[in-house]
Amino acid sequence: MTYPCKIVAFKSNFSLLESSISLDKMLDYAQEEGISHLIITDTNMMSGVIEFYHRAKVKNIIPYIGLNLVLADIEITLIAQCHSGYQALLLLSSRANSYQSQADFSAFLPDIHDLILIVKKAETADILALIEQPNIQIFLDDGLNLDTIPTIFLDSISFPIANCLSVQQKHINEILAAIKHGQSITSMFDYEDVILPTDIINERFQTILLSKNITLNFQEHFLPAFAGTVSQKQALFLNLCTKGAKKRYGEHFSTIHKQRLAYEITVIQKMGFVDYFLIIWDVMKFAKKEDIIIGPGRGSAVGSIVSYVLGITKIDPLRYGLIFERFLNIERNSLPDIDIDVEDSRRAELIQYLRQKYGKDHVTQILTFGTFGARSAVRDVAKAYGLEQQKITALTKQLKNSQISIVENIKENPKLAEILKLHADFSQIFKIASEIEGFPRHTSIHAAGVILTSDVITRHLATIETEKDIFLTQATMENCERVGLLKMDFLGLRNLSIIRRIAVQVDPTLSAGTFIETKIFDDDPQTFSLLCLGATTGIFQLESPGMRRVLQKVRITEFSDIATILSLYRPGPMQFIDEYADRKNNGKKYTAITPQMESILDDTFGIIIYQEQIMEIVQVLAGMSFSQADTFRRAISKKDRILLDKQYLTFSEGTLKNNISPVQSDAIFSEIVTFANYGFNKSHALAYAKISYQMAFLKTHYPAYFMCELINSVLANELKVASYLKEAMQLGLQILPPDVTISNSMYTVESHKHIRMGLASIKGLGSVTIKQLLAQRSIRQFSGFGDFLTRSDGKLAHDALISQLIYGYAFNRFSKNQKALENHFALHKMGIKFQGNLIQITDAIDTNFEDYLLIERMENEIKAFGFAQFAHPLSEYPANNPKIDTIDIRYIDAIVLIEKIKVITTKTKKEMAFLTVSDRENQIEIIAFPEVYTKIEVFLRPKRVASIRIRIQTNAQAGTSRILESLKNI
């Protein structure tokens, strides 16, 4: 019989590492082959269904949503007959991914309804139980082996589920299976592939399926609900706004503030977002109660006075000319998007609060997929082919740019192209890797996103239970929003945690939140001076070398300058930095196209920097409302020719009514179009500038606490720790070594000028060991080195650990002679060997030992800390000036440590050398040509201090070279 359409069931690559079919390729293939009906049936997961449904509708392909449910002794393909059946699939998939055991199939039965079932694997008893479920159609797969099904006759069906589009893709599936199971293809088990096209052959099945229809509504919004009746919530919202305004602005706040507040309240009520604002307010109230530090705001919500008076944001929008419609535009009915920055160590508390208040089934975090990047794809495919690790490393190194695709890397790297041309096996690896590049590889959790629903989440999305009662959506963020769910972002910021720890140490009598609100002032000249110097190591958003140069050039004189710099220091607007600095600091004149524009751009010296400025120009010059101006801004930024022409006409008509000439109007429009590429959200810039300023303030007034907590925040990164310690010393702080009698695990402040290194700074001292050490100390302080050894069990007093403590100066209080301490430890071990653990060794240290040389102590330090802090040979010499990495002068005279010497022979049979030398901050390579090398060869030794003269040589071809002119040992 000929059926009126082609129906194909497939498994997408959202069935991780089980299918080589991406949604795009499947839908394109269906269009080309005239396949009119597609059924998606991924294994236990429904991550791809929303995107599949949406894209299929766009391509006029009829989508059916299915699920291949695979449990211990069951495999059933289920297809939704209606929306109720779709919701049944959501529950079944969620249950299959629950934290609880999946073994009991009876637990799934209540959710099996309004579905078409194809039973692939099951016992007779299970099939009998299924038949009892309401509104289902059951088919038995051809491959199902059952001895008997008493008194039941069910249709048999051939129901292949495709997992590859062609014979060529079968091998890709084999590779994916090998990757999934950590095997090579030579040792793989039999793997079954089903290749498209695969029409479903069963007249009854097709008749049933074609009579069904699934409709997913992408226009409806499912907003979370705050507790109470509508009237109660409205009254609470108004009361909170009024009280908040009086707190922010005073009992009798101005008419301008009242008008703006009333307008925003009206818009929020009309758009139905009162509940949302109350929910966020409630979370902020909880955070304040628990002294959890929340950022000043993020994104366009900072432009709302309601957000400000409710304590959701901490920037006064009227003071800085922020526009509410950039946040909520009643003409485009946009959802509110209030993102919350929270100290990273306490983010989980906010989410847990939401779970407790609204119920565990109403609060979920959001799934993300880690995908195959260029390097990981090549690495995994090469492993699947059984390639040796050395060759895999060599191949992945040829992918020079991790930001572009494999194909683009091959185009950009002639050497790689040549390798692939010469080696067919490598070429095959890269070919397969490029096919799976971008495929989902594993699941992860979105860094910030949380979904809160008024009803149970599984009415909208399938979930994964990652821990007991902690759920994750199976859909990605975009698809959560596509089905009308509102995402809230709670982003953990390390910098807020640093601010909190500093605040509670500086003034333990205040909560961290109170300290920040009452002790940090926005107009501190000393803080501005620090920023002008570019002394911004460790300061949020301002730490990079490029940003430091901009700070020095622009010169901060008020808080809003920081926001301006954050907005300018981006690709595009960077080109205006010099011009901006010239106008700001040197009074360079500029002329705006019209006087109205001049008043709008006066704060930024005639340069359009912010999106809000574009909106204000449009509002003032073309007579648009701010809602219309926001729509105009969004249209312009899209660079759509049809939209541009439409907006140009609207703008021109508006400016003509305001007596602006066509020539001026065209010039203004052209300028707006140009700057629309660069315009930044001023609301966001100001909020993040606030965090930057707070950190700069703390660094200025409490440098010891600031640097201490900064170091603690990167303790696992030795390079950063070393860099921050140098910065601390440049600020006039003294670094003290670890001390077993007083050090804690982390770095601590001993006075406003002294930072004590923590025990965790010594490599090899794990948290358990440190805990044991501190426990012993809490019982009784260590009286000496012998006492420490006597009271330490085997975990503390073993060779490697004691050596590390000695090299890290942790016993300096008892003796600074490291060799004497090592001898004392050797005596202790000898005593235990001959007298057992009852030995008590004296605290008296025999100091008749010649201690390590300075260079040896430096090497010991590097073993202990990963870097040299106290015993650097150059510490006995004046600081170099200029620094050895300077390239903008002709000659450098410096005292350096010779690190490495590499001697080579030239074509003329003469010897020359490449020397690696360092000062206390930088390491460089210099060239000793034959004529210099022959003079200094006899003096050259690694780990020696020398006085050198370097000549800086720059040319277009070779770049910058450092040539050794002379060297003298010191």
Side-chain angles (χ1 to χ4, degrees):
M1 174 177 285
T2 302
Y3 296 109
C5 62
K6 286 187 176 181
I7 303 174
V8 169
F10 74 100
K11 181 187 294 187
S12 80
N13 58 7
F14 285 104
S15 294
L16 297 183
L17 305 177
E18 293 182 10
S19 170
S20 57
I21 302 177
S22 68
L23 296 181
D24 281 340
K25 286 184 178 178
M26 181 69 254
L27 292 165
D28 288 344
Y29 182 90
Q31 275 196 321
E32 292 166 7
E33 297 297 319
I35 297 170
S36 55
H37 295 62
L38 286 176
I39 312 169
I40 186 169
T41 57
D42 282 319
T43 303
N44 288 352
M45 292 282 284
M46 297 183 69
S47 297
V49 297
I50 296 167
E51 194 171 338
F52 162 69
Y53 181 92
H54 175 74
R55 293 189 187 186
K57 287 289 188 180
V58 170
K59 289 181 176 287
N60 293 316
I61 293 169
I62 298 175
Y64 291 93
I65 296 172
L67 176 70
N68 203 46
L69 186 64
V70 180
L71 306 174
D73 298 313
I74 300 281
E75 182 176 354
I76 307 172
T77 300
L78 311 104
I79 304 165
Q81 299 189 61
C82 56
H83 196 270
S84 175
Y86 167 67
Q87 290 187 316
L89 292 181
L90 297 179
L91 289 168
L92 292 165
S93 177
S94 299
R95 188 177 294 279
N97 289 281
S98 70
Y99 189 71
Q100 299 168 339
S101 170
Q102 303 171 15
D104 186 4
F105 179 62
S106 63
F108 288 80
L109 287 172
D111 298 320
I112 296 178
H113 56 83
D114 298 298
L115 299 167
I116 301 171
L117 277 58
I118 299 94
V119 181
K120 293 177 172 291
K121 176 185 174 184
E123 300 295 331
T124 301
D126 296 323
I127 296 174
L128 291 171
L130 284 169
I131 291 170
E132 301 299 319
Q133 301 311 114
N135 194 23
I136 61 168
Q137 308 290 335
I138 302 181
F139 297 84
L140 302 182
D141 189 90
D142 281 345
L144 181 66
N145 294 315
L146 291 173
D147 293 334
T148 178
I149 305 179
T151 68
I152 300 172
F153 178 77
L154 297 174
D155 276 359
S156 181
I157 185 174
S158 172
F159 194 86
I161 300 175
N163 62 358
C164 55
L165 292 173
S166 63
V167 173
Q168 290 77 15
Q169 283 194 329
K170 288 185 70 172
H171 186 53
I172 297 174
N173 278 4
E174 187 180 15
I175 295 294
L176 291 173
I179 293 170
K180 180 175 183 176
H181 296 285
Q183 297 173 302
S184 67
I185 55 174
T186 55
S187 63
M188 276 296 295
F189 48 81
D190 289 337
Y191 187 76
E192 182 181 345
D193 292 289
V194 178
I195 305 169
L196 286 176
T198 55
D199 282 2
I200 307 301
I201 303 170
N202 184 292
E203 182 178 3
R204 178 168 167 262
F205 172 86
Q206 296 205 33
T207 301
I208 293 169
L209 187 73
L210 296 180
S211 68
K212 306 302 178 184
N213 182 37
I214 298 291
T215 301
L216 300 184
N217 186 354
F218 293 143
Q219 305 304 316
E220 193 173 354
H221 293 146
F222 301 97
L223 298 176
F226 193 75
T229 65
V230 172
S231 60
Q232 286 172 335
K233 289 183 283 191
Q234 293 283 1
L236 176 62
F237 179 61
L238 290 171
N239 184 46
L240 289 171
C241 287
T242 304
K243 284 174 66 176
K246 289 177 180 178
K247 183 178 177 181
R248 292 290 196 189
Y249 299 117
E251 191 69 27
H252 304 289
F253 52 98
S254 73
T255 303
I256 294 173
H257 291 87
K258 289 177 181 176
Q259 289 173 343
R260 172 71 171 263
L261 185 60
Y263 167 70
E264 288 193 19
I265 288 171
T266 301
V267 170
I268 290 165
Q269 289 173 330
K270 282 183 179 178
M271 297 181 78
F273 299 145
V274 168
D275 285 69
Y276 177 72
F277 276 85
L278 289 175
I279 288 167
I280 301 295
W281 161 79
D282 182 61
V283 172
M284 295 300 99
K285 185 177 72 166
F286 167 77
K288 186 168 185 176
K289 175 175 169 287
E290 298 298 320
D291 199 28
I292 299 171
I293 302 304
I294 301 295
R298 184 152 60 101
S300 56
V302 179
S304 163
I305 196 172
V306 166
S307 296
Y308 182 58
V309 301
L310 289 180
I312 296 169
T313 59
K314 296 166 187 172
I315 301 288
D316 182 354
L318 294 187
R319 180 179 176 184
Y320 295 102
L322 304 181
I323 300 172
F324 174 67
E325 287 78 4
R326 176 65 185 81
F327 169 51
L328 280 182
N329 185 344
I330 198 164
E331 292 190 6
R332 58 181 171 88
N333 197 27
S334 56
L335 286 174
D337 187 12
I338 300 177
D339 299 333
I340 308 297
D341 289 323
V342 56
E343 51 179 311
D344 60 350
S345 58
R346 306 192 68 185
R347 175 179 179 267
E349 292 178 52
L350 294 188
I351 299 173
Q352 182 59 24
Y353 173 72
L354 288 172
R355 287 196 189 103
Q356 290 172 347
K357 181 157 184 127
Y358 296 97
K360 64 184 182 181
D361 299 332
H362 297 252
V363 179
T364 53
Q365 292 178 261
I366 301 172
L367 169 141
T368 60
F369 285 102
T371 58
F372 283 103
R375 287 175 183 160
S376 63
V378 169
R379 187 183 304 114
D380 282 344
V381 172
K383 281 182 183 177
Y385 275 115
L387 206 65
E388 302 94 326
Q389 185 57 49
Q390 188 177 1
K391 289 183 178 179
I392 294 173
T393 302
L395 280 179
T396 54
K397 279 185 177 178
Q398 291 301 319
L399 296 164
K400 305 293 185 185
N401 188 345
S402 61
Q403 305 302 311
I404 60 176
S405 70
I406 292 171
V407 172
E408 289 169 325
N409 264 286
I410 295 170
K411 287 178 183 177
E412 288 190 2
N413 186 351
K415 181 181 176 182
L416 176 58
E418 187 64 24
I419 290 171
L420 300 184
K421 189 175 179 182
L422 293 173
H423 299 276
D425 51 348
F426 294 169
S427 179
Q428 175 70 359
I429 287 169
F430 273 74
K431 181 182 177 183
I432 299 293
S434 66
E435 289 282 345
I436 68 171
E437 187 178 11
F439 273 26
R441 174 70 168 85
H442 60 267
T443 60
S444 187
I445 300 176
H446 190 278
V450 176
I451 299 292
L452 175 62
T453 54
S454 55
D455 50 3
V456 175
I457 184 67
T458 47
R459 289 186 58 80
H460 308 280
L461 294 171
T463 60
I464 301 169
E465 191 175 12
T466 56
E467 298 176 42
K468 186 164 178 56
D469 294 336
I470 295 178
F471 298 97
L472 187 66
T473 65
Q474 289 186 25
T476 58
M477 178 183 71
E478 295 79 10
N479 289 313
C480 290
E481 293 175 330
R482 186 171 275 159
V483 296
L485 298 179
L486 185 63
K487 171 185 69 71
M488 294 184 287
D489 274 353
F490 296 96
L491 183 67
L493 277 189
R494 176 179 68 96
N495 298 279
L496 294 177
S497 295
I498 293 171
I499 291 172
R500 140 189 275 297
R501 291 196 294 268
I502 295 168
V504 296
Q505 289 182 73
V506 170
D507 191 342
T509 66
L510 296 175
S511 69
T514 302
F515 179 93
I516 293 165
E517 288 177 10
T518 61
K519 300 296 184 181
I520 298 179
F521 312 106
D522 282 353
D523 54 355
D524 179 53
Q526 290 174 270
T527 303
F528 296 148
S529 295
L530 177 132
L531 291 170
C532 288
L533 292 171
T536 51
T537 296
I539 294 178
F540 180 63
Q541 301 274 300
L542 303 179
E543 196 168 8
S544 72
M547 183 61 87
R548 292 177 195 224
R549 288 191 292 272
V550 175
L551 287 165
Q552 291 166 339
K553 189 177 292 184
V554 172
R555 299 206 292 267
I556 302 293
T557 53
E558 58 183 74
F559 167 69
S560 60
D561 287 342
I562 305 172
T564 302
I565 286 175
L566 292 177
S567 304
L568 280 173
Y569 190 68
R570 298 178 299 113
M574 273 185 176
Q575 62 184 291
F576 305 111
I577 289 173
D578 287 342
E579 180 66 20
Y580 179 87
D582 214 9
R583 294 180 185 183
K584 179 181 186 293
N585 299 318
N586 303 323
K588 183 179 178 181
K589 299 297 182 185
Y590 60 92
T591 304
I593 298 171
T594 70
Q596 299 101 312
M597 276 189 73
E598 188 169 330
S599 64
I600 294 167
L601 301 178
D602 189 50
D603 287 346
T604 55
F605 303 96
I607 298 171
I608 300 176
I609 293 175
Y610 299 118
Q611 295 168 357
E612 287 87 342
Q613 289 175 311
I614 293 174
M615 292 173 66
E616 196 172 354
I617 290 168
V618 171
Q619 191 264 335
V620 171
L621 275 66
M624 295 185 191
S625 68
F626 274 128
S627 292
Q628 292 168 327
D630 178 60
T631 303
F632 175 91
R633 175 195 62 80
R634 294 169 70 87
I636 293 296
S637 64
K638 289 180 181 177
K639 292 292 180 286
D640 184 305
R641 187 71 256 172
I642 296 172
L643 278 175
L644 273 173
D645 290 343
K646 184 179 178 181
Q647 294 301 331
Y648 170 75
L649 185 61
T650 304
F651 181 79
S652 299
E653 289 173 351
T655 54
L656 189 62
K657 291 176 183 176
N658 283 331
N659 299 318
I660 295 171
S661 72
V663 172
Q664 287 179 314
S665 180
D666 285 352
I668 295 167
F669 187 82
S670 177
E671 193 165 330
I672 288 172
V673 170
T674 299
F675 280 90
N677 288 325
Y678 310 137
F680 197 65
N681 185 343
K682 187 178 183 181
S683 299
H684 182 74
L686 283 163
Y688 268 27
K690 186 90 166 180
I691 300 175
S692 302
Y693 178 84
Q694 287 172 347
M695 296 194 79
F697 183 95
L698 294 171
K699 184 174 185 178
T700 301
H701 295 280
Y702 311 103
Y705 292 100
F706 180 88
M707 294 308 303
C708 182
E709 289 309 323
L710 190 64
I711 292 165
N712 283 334
S713 72
V714 294
L715 212 51
N717 187 329
E718 292 166 4
L719 288 175
K720 281 215 164 189
V721 169
S723 169
Y724 289 160
L725 286 171
K726 290 187 181 90
E727 171 89 2
M729 290 187 294
Q730 289 167 6
L731 292 171
L733 302 174
Q734 186 176 346
I735 308 302
L736 305 174
D739 185 329
V740 293
T741 67
I742 55 177
S743 283
N744 292 325
S745 176
M746 310 294 277
Y747 283 65
T748 52
V749 175
E750 287 202 3
S751 76
H752 70 286
K753 286 290 185 182
H754 296 87
I755 294 175
R756 173 74 64 181
M757 294 178 75
L759 294 169
S761 63
I762 299 176
K763 297 171 74 172
L765 263 71
S767 59
V768 174
T769 302
I770 292 172
K771 189 175 180 181
Q772 290 171 337
L773 190 156
L774 296 177
Q776 276 292 323
R777 198 172 77 193
S778 69
I779 297 169
R780 189 183 81 249
Q781 183 58 271
F782 300 116
S783 62
F785 187 45
D787 181 47
F788 179 90
L789 295 175
T790 302
R791 291 165 56 195
S792 301
D793 61 18
K795 288 184 179 179
L796 282 177
H798 63 78
D799 291 13
L801 190 57
I802 295 298
S803 293
Q804 287 293 83
L805 287 165
I806 290 171
Y807 296 156
Y809 309 108
F811 300 119
N812 266 20
R813 182 177 295 269
F814 308 136
S815 174
K816 293 183 179 179
N817 188 319
Q818 294 185 350
K819 283 192 175 178
L821 288 166
E822 288 178 328
N823 176 69
H824 207 67
F825 180 46
L827 292 174
H828 172 75
K829 288 193 295 179
M830 191 180 297
I832 289 177
K833 182 177 180 181
F834 291 106
Q835 299 182 42
N837 286 326
L838 296 176
I839 180 74
Q840 281 196 331
I841 190 167
T842 176
D843 283 333
I845 306 288
D846 181 359
T847 57
N848 293 318
F849 290 89
E850 185 177 349
D851 202 2
Y852 289 108
L853 298 173
L854 186 63
I855 188 68
E856 292 173 321
R857 290 208 306 275
M858 183 187 80
E859 290 169 347
N860 288 343
E861 265 192 54
I862 293 171
K863 290 176 187 174
F865 304 136
F867 52 85
Q869 176 61 30
F870 302 101
H872 197 287
L874 297 184
S875 61
E876 298 180 350
Y877 300 94
N880 294 313
N881 189 19
K883 297 185 187 302
I884 60 171
D885 64 337
T886 303
I887 60 173
D888 53 1
I889 57 177
R890 183 164 175 76
Y891 291 99
I892 297 174
D893 294 299
I895 297 172
V896 298
L897 178 68
I898 300 171
E899 302 274 7
K900 296 177 188 174
I901 304 165
K902 180 182 178 184
V903 180
I904 65 168
T905 304
T906 68
K907 292 179 181 178
T908 58
K909 308 300 181 184
K910 294 180 180 179
E911 287 188 330
M912 61 177 287
F914 292 91
L915 310 181
T916 302
V917 302
S918 66
D919 60 13
R920 292 210 67 183
E921 293 188 23
N922 300 289
Q923 189 178 86
I924 61 168
E925 186 177 78
I926 57 178
I927 305 167
F929 285 115
E931 59 271 22
V932 173
Y933 178 70
T934 55
K935 296 176 185 176
I936 65 170
E937 177 185 4
V938 68
F939 306 117
L940 281 180
R941 295 287 184 277
K943 305 303 178 185
R944 292 284 180 88
V945 176
S947 173
I948 64 171
R949 165 165 271 219
I950 307 169
R951 174 167 50 88
I952 307 299
Q953 180 174 293
T954 304
N955 62 57
Q957 284 73 37
T960 299
S961 301
R962 297 174 175 88
I963 314 300
L964 184 65
E965 294 273 308
S966 65
L967 178 144
K968 185 193 299 182
N969 281 341
I970 297 178

